[in-house]
Amino acid sequence: MSPSQLQPGFNSPPREGEVPGEKTIAISPGENLMATVTPPGHLEQPDEPKNIITEETNPEALAFRFPTWRKWMILTVIFLVQTSMNFNTSLYANGQAGMAKAFNVSHQTTVTGAAIFLITYAFGCELWAPWSEELGRKFVLQGSLFLVNICCLPVALASPNGITSILVGRAFGGLFSAGGSVTLGMVADMFPAGEQEHPLAFIVLSSVGGSIIGPIIGGYVETYLAWQWTIWIQLIFGVCVQLLHLVLVPETRSTVRLDAHAKYLRKSGIMPDVYGPSEHKTWRQYMMPREVLAIWLRPFHMFITEPIVSVLSALSGFSDALIFMQIQSFRLVFKLWDFSIIQTGLAFIPIGLAYVLAYLLFIPVIRRNRRLRVHNPGCEHAQFESRLWWLLYTAPCLPIGLLIFAWTSTPSVHWIAPMIGCVFIGVANYTIYMATIDYMVAAYGPYSASATGGNGFARDFLAGVLTWFANPYYDAFHGKVGLQTANTVLACVSSILVVATFVIYFKGPSMRRRSSFAQSLLTALSQTSEPVPSNHII
């Protein structure tokens, strides 16, 4: 999964983008006020007064004004949507054996369907991001869910010679998944900067949790049903959450809500000459190649050029990728105890329990960090690096868990021992994801969308690559301790990334002073007494 739309504060101010020399026409007051996306091309006459409503003039129209119960109802539906998207990435693995037999292909060929979904998912999250800012969260998320559901059909209905159909369906299914680029953006739409951590922690739980629900129920599906049911269940789940989203979740993007509010004011006669911030935009302006390309490329640019983003994204991506490697390797481990397919799937329950535990443990950490920032308003370390404090204690759980998992994978030890190792890995994975996003949002302010976009891209892309290499990787280690050695190597790699996390915690201020992105934020903060509106994606 990729969280590229989460930023603190208010949404970006309306941007003027009128095409020079283009003729304009007035918007009819009788326009449908319930429309959430204004058809571009409606411009007022040059001699007509143009009053644009904004977040400051009409705050009552914003999602910030939703009552608390409604915000959390929306978050609950979004929790299910995000769970569904990540569920699609993992349940497929339980159909691989059936596919290999049905299409007479190697197991590694069927693994490609899992890997390619994750890799295209990494790109898809970034490709959907700018459109949710322009056209609205609901419109884009509904389109994403619909297309993902459609892509299940060529996989489930693949002909006897249709392994290519499966791979193509999976590739486009990942590409059409909006993921965190939209769901995390909705957190920023509804909650001001100082209140985002609790809803963010909740949504992060759905992101990591969806990945392990697949194998838990997948054992039963693989045992009692045909392989196609691993896809049909994805489709059923996807349709259900799409309908819930359609019925229960309103538009939250501020510019789209202001457009609809302006139409209401005109139609009711309250303010007949007002317009929303985006009503004047044309399709030509929506499709400006330079602007769209800049937004798409910035996460990748920051991932390459910003050491903080690179290291934290690599740590986050590697920990998430381990989960998908384990999905492919759990059978190698638990067949040592003669686990059945169902029992192997249930072995993922400790990781799920670890995610819930990590979520609950993070709640007092959020309170602790907030108190520290309030009591030390002028301390740079308190405002930024303190958000990584809990990571100093939980990130080491990743190599520790891998070592436990590695050296207890032997029949002479009880099978619960490697599951205890999985608990450590699960706690680390959740906390790494949550803490790194929280830190990058604070450290990069207006650029946080791109910074967290690099984080999400790394998680999905590395998960896809390591999923494909999981079986060849473990097969490359032979001998009595081959499996143990393979996981020990992974523990060593994770240890290097954990050490880098400590470096960022203690050296973060000096590293940010060498960052052009972070320095531009500090300059802006020093020139105004008000916080920089971090929802402004620059």
Side-chain angles (χ1 to χ4, degrees), residues 74-130:
I74 293 170
L75 283 177
T76 301
V77 176
I78 296 304
F79 183 100
L80 295 174
V81 169
Q82 188 66 59
T83 299
S84 169
M85 291 185 177
N86 288 75
F87 177 77
N88 293 345
T89 65
S90 58
L91 182 60
Y92 170 90
N94 290 97
Q96 290 171 182
M99 293 176 199
K101 183 177 180 180
F103 299 110
N104 194 27
V105 295
S106 67
H107 177 73
Q108 191 64 20
T109 300
T110 63
V111 172
T112 302
I116 198 171
F117 186 97
L118 287 162
I119 292 172
T120 56
Y121 190 4
F123 289 96
C125 287
E126 303 308 320
L127 295 179
W128 284 97

Side-chain angles (χ1 to χ4, degrees), residues 246-259:
L246 179 65
V247 174
L248 297 177
V249 178
E251 178 58 59
T252 59
R253 175 66 177 162
S254 65
T255 52
V256 178
R257 292 189 61 84
L258 288 171
D259 286 349

Side-chain angles (χ1 to χ4, degrees), residues 83-410:
T83 299
S84 169
M85 291 185 177
N86 288 75
F87 177 77
N88 293 345
T89 65
S90 58
L91 182 60
Y92 170 90
N94 290 97
Q96 290 171 182
M99 293 176 199
K101 183 177 180 180
F103 299 110
N104 194 27
V105 295
S106 67
H107 177 73
Q108 191 64 20
T109 300
T110 63
V111 172
T112 302
I116 198 171
F117 186 97
L118 287 162
I119 292 172
T120 56
Y121 190 4
F123 289 96
C125 287
E126 303 308 320
L127 295 179
W128 284 97
W131 303 116
S132 74
E133 296 289 335
E134 298 291 345
L135 302 179
R137 313 291 190 194
K138 184 164 187 174
F139 178 80
V140 167
L141 195 51
Q142 277 290 309
S144 170
L145 290 168
F146 175 76
L147 292 172
V148 170
N149 290 336
I150 290 296
C151 287
C152 289
L153 298 178
V155 181
L157 300 175
S159 65
N161 297 316
I163 190 66
T164 301
S165 174
I166 291 176
L167 298 182
V168 171
R170 292 291 291 176
F172 280 101
L175 190 64
F176 291 144
S177 298
S181 64
V182 179
T183 57
L184 290 177
M186 294 179 69
V187 173
D189 292 340
M190 296 188 292
F191 295 88
E195 301 175 12
Q196 285 181 4
E197 289 162 304
H198 287 295
L200 171 59
F202 183 65
I203 296 301
V204 167
L205 179 61
S206 70
S207 182
V208 296
S211 302
I212 53 94
I213 293 177
I216 290 174
I217 72 169
Y220 293 95
V221 177
E222 184 175 353
T223 302
Y224 297 113
L225 299 172
W227 69 264
Q228 288 91 340
W229 278 99
T230 61
I231 310 302
W232 291 127
I233 291 173
Q234 293 177 40
L235 179 59
I236 293 169
F237 192 10
V239 170
C240 289
V241 297
Q242 183 177 0
L243 291 175
L244 282 174
H245 177 265
L246 179 65
V247 174
L248 297 177
V249 178
E251 178 58 59
T252 59
R253 175 66 177 162
S254 65
T255 52
V256 178
R257 292 189 61 84
L258 288 171
D259 286 349
H261 189 61
K263 292 176 184 179
Y264 164 74
L265 294 176
R266 289 199 307 272
K267 184 174 181 179
S268 63
I270 299 174
M271 299 180 71
D273 61 344
V274 298
Y275 298 90
S278 300
E279 286 187 279
H280 66 286
K281 295 190 72 173
T282 66
W283 280 118
R284 184 176 171 187
Q285 290 169 301
Y286 278 114
M287 300 297 290
M288 293 275 295
R290 181 177 298 178
E291 181 178 353
V292 172
L293 188 63
I295 294 174
W296 280 347
L297 292 181
R298 189 171 293 115
F300 308 108
H301 174 71
M302 292 189 71
F303 180 74
I304 295 172
T305 62
E306 290 289 309
I308 291 176
V309 177
S310 301
V311 172
L312 293 182
S313 296
L315 174 62
S316 181
F318 183 76
S319 69
D320 193 54
L322 285 175
I323 302 301
F324 290 93
M325 284 193 74
Q326 285 183 311
I327 291 175
Q328 301 295 331
S329 65
F330 254 39
R331 294 187 187 185
L332 298 174
V333 173
F334 288 103
K335 75 176 183 181
L336 299 173
W337 291 275
D338 296 321
F339 270 35
S340 67
I341 294 173
I342 293 175
Q343 290 171 323
T344 302
L346 295 177
F348 281 87
I349 290 178
I351 299 179
L353 295 176
Y355 288 156
V356 175
L357 174 63
Y359 168 69
L360 295 176
L361 290 174
F362 215 97
I363 293 175
V365 173
I366 291 173
R367 297 196 191 101
R368 177 258 182 197
N369 291 343
R370 285 180 177 178
R371 286 196 300 269
L372 190 64
R373 292 194 294 271
V374 170
H375 294 153
N376 301 274
C379 177
E380 209 176 322
H381 197 277
Q383 298 301 316
F384 300 106
E385 279 68 35
S386 67
R387 299 167 188 266
L388 297 176
W389 168 79
W390 186 232
L391 202 56
L392 301 182
Y393 299 93
T394 54
C397 289
L398 185 59
I400 292 171
L402 281 168
L403 289 173
I404 295 174
F405 184 75
W407 294 101
T408 58
S409 298
T410 172

